[in-house]
Amino acid sequence: MSIALVRLDDRLVHGQVVVGWGRAIGADRIVLVDDAIAVSDWEKDLYRTGVPPGMEIEFASIADAANGGLRRWESDRARTMVLVGNVEALVRLCDAGGEVIRRVNLGGVHGGAERTRRLPYVFLSDAELDALRGIAAAGVVVEAQDVPTATAVPLADLA
Amino acid sequence: MAHDRLAQALVDAVGEISGERDALVAVSNVGCGRDTLADAIRDAVAGRPAVVFVDLPSGSCLQATAAYVRSRPDIAVVAGVNLAMLLDFLYHRDGTPAQAAARALQTGGRSIRLWPS
């Protein structure tokens, strides 16, 4: 399998992702799945600056991911980290992903309206928590883990 | 603008060395997503011309700063901050932010040396 990690992180391409997880999983490629960034040249340029030599970055919309992207990344030899920036995008991606996405990593969801602190790096509203429970009920393992050396926290413990 | 407590540590060190304690404002990325990082930068700048010093030449701090300054041509950004450039900046803030940032880049770069050379 070549999708080595599917991560929700609202900081997107940053140190924990590139240095921490990128090295731990041996990522050759990051795919940033975000509808707004996929059509924004200046934001793509910005996120390209965060990727070290030897690692590629690709930008995709959720529709791109659904329409063959996920299957291509999964069957590709490049070890790929798929990155999304919010719960809604993660749920849409999982809905589109069929059996390709079996496990997702909650790496960083920070404070916002109606959100409650679940972990120091995970703040979720009740609606977001319910949405994550929905993808878990569909068979996707949902765990929180900011860095590879931390212990993964199951979704059930985030209530 | 830096990861964890680095910005505050740099500001404290500048104050300790120079006695100047009002020129710099520390912003941390702790607990912040992209939106709240941008809010933190906006609050720190408070509508004034400024130079924003960022710790790494990539990553969340730079990305949030770069996104914010797109609408603020009176703000310059220097990535890869070090103590030497901050100390020099204290005493060379008379020009535009772009001029001060260009100087900081030179000063910071020159301060990195091998010893013995």
Side-chain angles (χ1 to χ4, degrees):
Chain A
M1 70 133 192
S2 231
I3 295 179
L5 183 72
V6 177
R7 177 173 172 97
L8 164 56
D9 192 324
D10 58 12
R11 293 180 185 171
L12 299 177
V13 183
H14 70 114
Q16 284 181 357
V17 166
V18 173
V19 178
W21 286 99
R23 288 177 185 274
I25 66 175
D28 302 306
R29 173 172 59 196
I30 292 173
V31 179
L32 176 50
V33 180
D34 185 290
D35 286 349
I37 295 171
V39 294
S40 170
D41 288 340
W42 76 266
E43 285 188 278
K44 289 182 198 174
D45 286 343
L46 191 57
Y47 290 109
R48 285 189 187 102
T49 67
V51 178
M55 191 183 292
E56 298 175 6
I57 185 165
E58 183 175 328
F59 302 92
S61 65
I62 292 174
D64 294 334
N67 296 322
L70 281 165
R71 283 191 298 278
R72 177 168 60 84
W73 304 323
E74 176 69 0
S75 61
D76 216 42
R77 290 178 61 185
R79 288 182 65 79
T80 297
M81 181 190 317
V82 176
L83 197 58
V84 296
N86 57 62
V87 172
E88 184 207 355
L90 180 67
V91 171
R92 289 173 61 204
L93 188 68
C94 289
D95 288 346
E99 295 181 353
V100 173
I101 300 176
R102 303 173 193 90
R103 180 180 295 269
V104 297
N105 161 244
L106 308 180
V109 188
H110 295 88
E114 301 178 4
R115 283 183 177 155
T116 302
R117 181 184 186 275
R118 317 286 173 167
L119 291 170
Y121 57 91
V122 177
F123 293 68
L124 297 169
S125 69
D126 290 343
E128 288 171 327
L129 191 57
D130 284 345
L132 293 172
R133 286 174 176 145
I135 60 176
V140 177
V141 176
V142 182
E143 296 174 323
Q145 187 178 5
D146 56 351
V147 290
T149 50
T151 301
V153 179
L155 179 64
D157 291 354
L158 298 185
Chain B
M1 156 67 84
H3 289 74
D4 208 317
R5 291 167 290 179
L6 177 59
Q8 189 60 57
L10 285 166
V11 170
D12 290 346
V14 167
E16 183 69 23
I17 293 168
S18 70
E20 291 271 356
R21 298 190 182 273
D22 298 325
L24 301 173
V25 177
V27 179
S28 169
N29 74 341
V30 169
C32 294
R34 278 176 298 166
D35 293 343
T36 46
L37 272 174
D39 291 345
I41 297 163
R42 186 193 60 227
D43 292 347
V45 169
R48 297 164 295 191
V51 178
V52 179
F53 295 92
V54 181
D55 55 359
L56 290 173
S58 64
S60 61
C61 293
L62 179 65
Q63 287 156 6
T65 304
Y68 176 67
V69 303
R70 274 173 57 82
S71 61
R72 290 290 306 272
D74 57 337
I75 296 177
V77 182
V78 178
V81 64
N82 62 32
L83 187 54
M85 74 167 67
L86 290 179
L87 287 167
D88 184 76
F89 170 75
L90 274 189
Y91 305 109
H92 299 92
R93 291 179 284 154
D94 294 339
T96 65
Q99 290 169 332
R103 182 184 171 95
L105 188 66
Q106 290 186 335
T107 306
R110 282 199 305 267
S111 74
I112 300 170
R113 299 176 185 177
L114 283 176
W115 193 266
S117 58

